[in-house]
Amino acid sequence: MNAQVQPAASAWQAVIGLEIHAQLSTASKLFSGASTAYGAEPNTQTSLVDCAMPGTLPVPNREAVRKAIQFGLAIDAAIAPQSVFARKNYFYPDLPKGYQISQYELPVVGAGRLRVRVDDGRVIEVEIQRAHLEEDAGKSVHDAFHAETGIDLNRAGTPLLEIVSAPVLHSAAEAVAYMRTVHTLVRWLGICDGNMQEGSFRCDCNVSVRRGSDAPLGTRTEIKNVNSFRFVEKAIEYEIERQIRALENGESIVQETRLYDPARHQTRPMRSKESADDYRYFPDPDLPPLVIAAADVARERDALPELPQARRERYVAVLGLPDADADQLCADRATADYFEAVLAALPGQAKLCANWVLGEVAANLNEAGIEIAAAPVSAAALAELLARLRDGSISGKIAKDVFAAMWAGEGGADAIIEARGLRQISDSGALAAAIAAVLAEHPAQVADYRGGNEKLLQFFVGQTMKRTRGQANPQQLNELLRQKLAAP
Amino acid sequence: MAALAADLAAGRRSALQLADDALARAERAAALNSFIRIDADGARSAARAVDAQRAAGAALPALAGIPFAHKDIFCTRGVATTCGSRMLRDFVPPYDAQVVERLASAGAVSLGKTNMDEFAMGSSNENSAYGAVANPWDTARVPGGSSGGSAAAVAAGIVPFATGTDTGGSIRQPAAFCGITGLKPTYGRVSRYGMIAYASSLDCAGVLARSAADCAIVFDAIAGFDPRDATSVARPAEATAALLEQPLAGLRIGIAREYFGSGVQAGVGERVHAALRELERLGAVLVDVSLPNAHHAIAAYYVIAPAEASSNLARYDGVRYGHRTAHARSLDELYSLSRAEGFGAEVQRRILVGTYALSAGYYDAYYLRAQKVRRLIANDFAAAFAGVDLIAGPTAPTTAFRLGEKAGDALAMYAADVNTVAVNLAGLPAISLPAGLAGGLPAGLQLIAPAFAEARLLNAAHRLQLATDWHLQEPAA
């Protein structure tokens, strides 16, 4: 027998699959007419169906089904002409019926794929096994009553789309990049608000490790309900390390559900799958198979917006934008749409438009803590400003001042430029006069310059700008100054 | 019922008088234990409302002012609805079932809620947490189940009709045992909204009355699409009452030989054959048909129904409503003790059976196989209906058995459903009609129709009742 060299720790391969739960942004619940709005007083958004009153029955929300179809089309998956709602049976106080209505054997969305750009610049194609509709459970409230647990059923019955990736991710970075891509997509489609703090977008991470990519899959653990990108990254990193350490110490991995503790950046066991419930899935006899006509799918396909991936690629290939700009612009649809609206008024000026959207606009949004939809400067208003910049009426520096005034609500670009007298001085006569005055005021510096200290050019630029209150066309100013200084 | 309606319309009697009379009869017949709850105030106020409308000259539906009773499985707003269970002893629904709404808007006057086997699980009404019901023909015998209270109340003449539900025969078998007419409509014809679930894919609301003509009036009032029930069928209901009188000439009735097996009491078989001869005399053509998978029906039913029940009854956990144990020291005990105290033995048995049938490792062998058998049974009916219009046989193999006779033997009890469960598995409409007495007790004829052919079923039943007086026979007071 050959003596085998133990592979180094770097030979371990992590295998990760994510189950993302995206709350579908419908007005009412998956099987009842109750509202899905977040943050209401406990148990004020519960219908008889949601509290599982005897005799009540579920009726599917077609809007949730439509949103599931849209997602399926966006990941290039087959939409099942017939899918089946199944009951997942288990007892828990915040599960009023004693079962959750989900989809098991026949999900509404079949296998699809999503191209994901990882931070290191690689593009990976992630296989998505399925996406299915299911209802959320209620919440147990542990701090409202002394020594007793309260139940809030407002969330019970809220529609979720569970998006299940194949175990094809191999690092925390890939997992997070994939999760971000899905997050962008569901918001882009308008099927989920993506609000992770409110739990509208959360995920379970299945993690295992193996020695090299040819080895059989290792035993996996599932980290439940992680609700931020950073936590997903930390939890997976921790879990990979923990598993490798355990295996290298000769221990084995127990198949179990673990919870991520953000305070300690650790995962810890929640319950062991070996003793887990048998969910006794079976088709829900209250709900006939969900039938989706080909015409309905076709209608959704026709109404599908240009998807982020396609748009990103177009920005690079057709508009010539750098990858980084395209990525940032396509991080959400409102930003990309804003950019396109600006660009529509300034054809051919993609880079200029991108610079402003990702620069001044993004910075101001960030500072104000608002979304682009609420930006006080509309795309049309920004386009008007950039047109003045393009035609030389104002300099880039003045443009930023004008933008700040626009942001502050002082009016449109032209009005501000006029009111403040900011129009750039491009008249060479006026500029020459200003230069002559400056040179006359500083004879010593002029002599110095002419003696070879050409660095002083910036001094004269500054002085002339000051004299023209910044309105001098900088390029023209430079040229004229050089001329005047060269010729005594 | 037509006579009562005529009296009301002519002003000879008021709805209030009818309600008071019915309440008095219910009191006199209290020993039958056919009611779990009588809502005298509710009945009188509903009757007064109808009388006021009539006095104001309103044109009223046929059922306006007619007293009746609801099986205690239908949720009634403000009136306790127990489903025959200790679990729901104090449960007062905040809403009305669709069937309750429909009959209320038709002006029918509900007297209260009738006794039943707990959660509709039983064939004798002995599984009620509120005591057994006596058969008005012989108070030592069962009225059948699970709609035993409704059947007994109609047979005893307390009310002219009562609602019922039929999951495996729970309308037809008690109708047969009590000598009345019971209609189980096509699955999906009548909304299940507000009807407490036993086995969702089989549960069906219907009616027990003295005649097919009365069943037709009630059926027309309760049938129809309901968007609150996803299994409700969006299909215009034909007014069956208007089609009752058509002649039967050429109607092809299939005699299912599997329904006349060795388990059928001789007297019952004779009565059913007599009824069939009468139908033949009325112009029907009798044809032999075969339903080769009929003998698998009981086994399939007693897997599928308990499986669904095990899940449907999970909501009774002591958390939100219903019985909650006073002795729990943990969450697990809250569940196990509340359910052990709240559910009776038969309900617990079926939950256990159903849980087992759905468990990992057993699902394929039990639930999935039962579903395959279910399809075979439906196919048998489809094949038979290619050649016949209706299929006939005895509703139950025997007449009413004695109270306690089968109480200790679940399998013997289940066998009483042998001729009825297949109809539920296939989702078909069927009716049980009195076919005369065998040994002093009523025997029932079952007619089965293809899906949505209730009108044909009621037409044949009505023509038979026009020609015979079996449905007019009454137990001695």
Side-chain angles (χ1 to χ4, degrees), chain B residues 86-186:
Chain B
R86 181 174 180 220
M87 180 62 84
L88 292 178
R89 186 172 52 194
D90 302 314
F91 175 64
V92 180
Y95 77 109
D96 279 332
Q98 159 85 352
V99 165
V100 173
E101 276 179 5
R102 287 288 193 101
L103 289 173
S105 69
V109 174
S110 172
L111 242 56
K113 313 295 288 286
T114 59
N115 206 336
M116 57 181 286
D117 282 304
E118 183 177 9
F119 285 101
M121 299 180 194
S123 309
S124 69
N125 215 115
E126 290 165 289
N127 297 335
S128 169
Y130 305 91
V133 175
N135 189 318
W137 290 86
D138 176 351
T139 54
R141 292 178 184 269
V142 302
S146 67
S147 309
S150 287
V154 172
I158 299 170
V159 283
F161 78 91
T163 57
T165 60
D166 190 316
T167 304
S170 282
I171 286 173
R172 291 161 288 156
Q173 184 252 23
F177 279 12
C178 290
I180 61 172
T181 305
L183 173 69
K184 175 230 175 281
T186 311

Side-chain angles (χ1 to χ4, degrees), chain B residues 1-2 63 160-161 207 209-219 244:
Chain B
M1 217 157 78
L63 288 172
F161 78 91
V207 54
R210 296 298 298 275
S211 68
D214 287 358
C215 284
I217 294 169
V218 178
F219 171 74
L244 287 175

Side-chain angles (χ1 to χ4, degrees), chain B residues 75-467:
Chain B
C75 286
T76 42
R77 184 170 52 219
V79 179
T81 300
T82 69
C83 218
S85 181
R86 181 174 180 220
M87 180 62 84
L88 292 178
R89 186 172 52 194
D90 302 314
F91 175 64
V92 180
Y95 77 109
D96 279 332
Q98 159 85 352
V99 165
V100 173
E101 276 179 5
R102 287 288 193 101
L103 289 173
S105 69
V109 174
S110 172
L111 242 56
K113 313 295 288 286
T114 59
N115 206 336
M116 57 181 286
D117 282 304
E118 183 177 9
F119 285 101
M121 299 180 194
S123 309
S124 69
N125 215 115
E126 290 165 289
N127 297 335
S128 169
Y130 305 91
V133 175
N135 189 318
W137 290 86
D138 176 351
T139 54
R141 292 178 184 269
V142 302
S146 67
S147 309
S150 287
V154 172
I158 299 170
V159 283
F161 78 91
T163 57
T165 60
D166 190 316
T167 304
S170 282
I171 286 173
R172 291 161 288 156
Q173 184 252 23
F177 279 12
C178 290
I180 61 172
T181 305
L183 173 69
K184 175 230 175 281
T186 311
Y187 182 81
R189 257 296 199 199
V190 179
S191 170
R192 292 184 296 118
Y193 183 78
M195 190 175 116
I196 296 178
Y198 157 25
S200 308
S201 74
L202 302 161
D203 291 345
C204 204
V207 54
L208 300 98
R210 296 298 298 275
S211 68
D214 287 358
C215 284
I217 294 169
V218 178
F219 171 74
D220 287 349
I222 62 175
F225 177 65
D226 179 1
R228 296 171 299 184
D229 174 1
T231 61
S232 169
V233 178
R235 183 186 171 110
E238 11 177 29
T240 56
L243 302 169
L244 287 175
E245 307 289 339
Q246 297 175 95
L248 300 188
L251 184 80
R252 294 171 65 83
I253 299 180
I255 311 301
R257 71 177 78 98
E258 290 80 4
Y259 289 168
F260 292 89
S262 57
V264 176
Q265 258 175 22
V268 170
E270 279 164 24
R271 293 316 314 155
V272 169
H273 281 298
L276 290 171
R277 281 195 301 277
E278 192 58 34
L279 283 164
E280 200 171 20
R281 203 181 59 76
L282 292 169
V285 180
L286 305 186
V287 184
D288 274 338
V289 294
S290 176
L291 302 167
N293 292 290
H295 61 288
H296 294 311
I298 292 256
Y301 174 86
Y302 278 101
V303 171
I304 292 169
E308 293 182 8
S310 71
S311 176
N312 282 336
L313 272 59
R315 65 188 59 197
Y316 307 107
D317 56 7
V319 174
R320 291 164 309 282
Y321 48 73
H323 179 74
R324 182 197 286 227
T325 184
H327 311 293
R329 286 163 306 179
S330 68
L331 181 60
D332 281 346
E333 280 191 5
L334 173 70
Y335 293 145
S336 58
L337 293 177
S338 295
R339 290 166 69 80
E341 293 163 7
F343 290 141
E346 182 61 24
V347 170
Q348 292 188 28
R349 188 199 326 269
R350 292 196 198 187
I351 290 173
L352 286 171
V353 167
T355 302
Y356 182 83
L358 289 176
S359 296
Y362 301 98
Y363 180 86
D364 289 2
Y366 293 101
Y367 186 77
L368 215 54
R369 182 170 295 188
Q371 290 290 8
K372 286 177 186 162
V373 170
R374 183 176 190 171
R375 192 160 313 123
L376 293 178
I377 286 168
N379 291 346
D380 279 0
F381 278 114
F385 280 125
V388 297
D389 302 307
L390 297 174
I391 291 172
T395 305
T398 67
T399 53
F401 47 86
R402 283 184 300 283
L403 283 159
E405 183 180 331
K406 298 185 181 180
D409 186 351
L411 290 181
M413 190 73 91
Y414 296 170
D417 304 332
V418 63
N419 290 356
T420 48
V421 292
V423 170
N424 298 79
L425 290 170
L428 303 177
I431 195 167
S432 177
L433 310 169
L437 304 182
L441 292 169
L445 164 72
Q446 175 174 239
L447 296 176
I448 306 165
F452 305 106
E454 285 90 353
R456 189 187 301 165
L457 207 52
L458 289 160
N459 168 220
H462 176 65
R463 294 298 300 207
L464 179 64
Q465 291 183 339
L466 283 181

